[in-house]
Amino acid sequence: MTKSLFRIRFLAAFWFFATAAVAQSTAPAQSPAVRAIGKKLQQHGVRNFGEVTPSLYRGGLTTTDGLQALHKLGVNVIVDTHANDSPEKAEAEK
């Protein structure tokens, strides 16, 4: 009797995990635009620019024009995760 109870529990657990895996694998794939954080915007001089919240933006590397455009938007803090570059730092502090 114990062996058959074990088999029933094993099969129930297997069925549960198998159906969960099938449900996940059949979900439609989302496009990168849907998965992106925030709303994608176009800003000259800033690659991959977007608005995460009304007061928080995200983007890639900026050019001098991009820094000026961000300043016009009211952005006063830029977090740069790349190595310090003296010319870039001087340009951002203008």
Side-chain angles (χ1 to χ4, degrees), residues 1-2 5-6 16 18 22 24 26 29 31 37 42 47 50 54 69 74 76 78 93:
M1 190 92 154
T2 309
L5 185 59
F6 175 76
F16 174 77
V22 169
Q24 287 180 354
T26 58
S31 71
I37 297 174
Q42 294 295 322
R47 287 194 230 163
N76 56 11
I78 297 174
E93 290 175 347

Side-chain angles (χ1 to χ4, degrees), residues 7-20:
R7 284 182 183 167
I8 291 172
R9 286 183 179 173
F10 176 78
L11 290 174
F14 178 78
W15 178 81
F16 174 77
F17 289 113
T19 55

Side-chain angles (χ1 to χ4, degrees), residues 5-64:
L5 185 59
F6 175 76
R7 284 182 183 167
I8 291 172
R9 286 183 179 173
F10 176 78
L11 290 174
F14 178 78
W15 178 81
F16 174 77
F17 289 113
T19 55
V22 169
Q24 287 180 354
S25 66
T26 58
Q30 294 179 332
S31 71
V34 172
R35 290 191 314 255
I37 297 174
K39 179 172 48 172
K40 190 162 177 79
L41 303 173
Q42 294 295 322
Q43 185 63 52
H44 180 71
V46 183
R47 287 194 230 163
N48 197 25
F49 185 66
E51 181 184 74
V52 179
T53 67
S55 61
L56 178 66
Y57 298 94
R58 54 111 175 114
L61 293 175
T62 61
T63 64
T64 303

